Amino acid sequence: MALVSMGPMLKRARAQGYGIAAYNMIDYNSARAVVEGAQALDAPVIVQVSVKTVKHWGYTPIAHWVRDLAATVDVPVALHLDHCTDLDVLRRCIDAGWTSVMFDGSSLPFEENLDKSLKAYAMTEQAGVGLEAEIGAIGGVEDDKHVNEDEARLANFDECVRFVRDMPNLAVFAPAIGTAHGMYKGEAKIAYDLLERITASISIPIALHGGTGLTEEQFHRCIAGGCAKVNISTMHKMLYINSFVKLKEQKPNLEEPLTFIAAQNEAMKEDVKSVIKIFGSAGKAADARSVLTQRH
Ligand code: 13P
């Protein structure tokens, strides 16, 4: 299939009570594992890319890789840009073929975040691609963004309502609800009451950041509470590295790189499949495809 926009399928996922996995790809092999894992379980999926990764490989190669991978499967695949603070990078991704982008103004004072997010919204609306925007401050480390525990801040409910008011077509909304990027020290403290309040007044699907390390029960509660896009990065990165290391330890004389790449692909793919099962999106490709003609 051609790449799809994530907005309509996220709306559908929220309405139907399942979550769509959004994996931060590292390279071609990792994007391939994500797409193949989704295809194996007949699930819609989002391949997302951090700004650092875009800058490492370049805009066009990434767009080509993911577009070509999507063309080999019949499950819906969206190409999304993760946390981006630079409108120029957003524009370049849109021009290269991304089907949605995230503007992250969460480190700015509320009014400034709103103002810049509205600019990003105008840009994406005009280009016909989806937008994700964030408020509050999600803790942890993602890409070059470090938010210490004492800086992490839950989204303010009234600000959430105001924030989305002029962005009715937002593909997905990312309020900080207590999850964090990276590994958790102890169990994540999720503000379910805040999530409930938000979803009771805002119909836009919610993005759950900081998926690595959450328990099955936490995923289920968040997805049932309106989180339709569920982000996983750290676990994917760990498997990317550890699968290589483990194989080398098991077979120190092995020298064929393709054998390592195949083992790495398998390890990442198995994780994608287990996550898709937890999120309830296995077998939902046709359900997600049924809404693709709707606006982003
Ligand atoms: P983790 O690294 O905790 O899986 O979070 C991923 C994420 O939210 C990317 O934006």
Side-chain angles (χ1 to χ4, degrees), residues 22-24 48 82-83 102 132 134 138-139 141-143 179-184 208-214 229-237:
Y23 268 88
N24 287 61
Q48 62 185 11
D82 201 18
H83 299 275
M102 174 177 188
E132 174 173 352
E134 172 178 333
I138 297 170
V141 179
E142 177 57 45
D143 212 5
T179 56
H181 298 120
M183 298 306 288
Y184 291 97
L208 183 66
H209 283 252
T212 299
L214 297 183
K229 172 177 183 275
V230 188
N231 290 2
I232 310 274
S233 176
T234 304
M235 174 53 85
H236 193 63
K237 287 185 194 163

Side-chain angles (χ1 to χ4, degrees), residues 70-189:
T72 65
V73 295
D74 54 15
V75 297
V77 178
L79 174 59
H80 180 62
L81 176 70
D82 201 18
H83 299 275
C84 180
T85 53
D86 183 342
L87 293 176
D88 192 47
V89 173
L90 247 57
R91 158 62 54 208
R92 293 184 67 182
C93 283
I94 293 169
D95 290 346
W98 263 249
T99 54
S100 58
V101 291
M102 174 177 188
F103 176 74
D104 177 359
S106 60
S107 62
L108 303 169
F110 176 74
E111 293 299 336
E112 219 178 308
N113 182 8
L114 178 59
D115 187 54
K116 284 226 165 99
S117 298
L118 285 169
K119 287 199 174 75
Y121 184 71
M123 184 195 288
T124 53
E125 281 297 286
Q126 210 216 357
V129 303
L131 178 70
E132 174 173 352
E134 172 178 333
I135 65 171
I138 297 170
V141 179
E142 177 57 45
D143 212 5
D144 286 333
K145 185 180 166 193
H146 298 247
V147 179
N148 297 329
E149 253 171 72
D150 53 337
E151 293 165 338
R153 188 170 22 85
L154 292 181
N156 171 289
F157 174 73
D158 296 325
E159 287 181 354
C160 288
V161 174
R162 221 188 115 213
F163 192 71
V164 300
R165 195 183 55 203
D166 295 327
M167 296 186 262
N169 217 9
L170 205 59
V172 67
F173 175 46
I177 56 164
T179 56
H181 298 120
M183 298 306 288
Y184 291 97
K185 295 188 206 110
E187 198 166 302
K189 291 186 187 57

Side-chain angles (χ1 to χ4, degrees), residues 4-54:
V4 304
S5 275
M6 65 179 188
M9 62 182 191
L10 288 174
K11 258 192 217 130
R12 178 76 184 170
R14 176 172 165 178
Q16 297 291 309
Y18 61 89
I20 299 183
Y23 268 88
N24 287 61
M25 62 164 275
I26 302 152
D27 64 359
Y28 178 76
N29 199 30
S30 113
R32 184 172 154 184
V34 174
V35 173
E36 288 177 348
Q39 170 76 357
L41 290 187
D42 195 34
V45 80
I46 298 164
V47 176
Q48 62 185 11
V49 199
S50 72
V51 173
K52 203 196 255 179
T53 306
V54 176

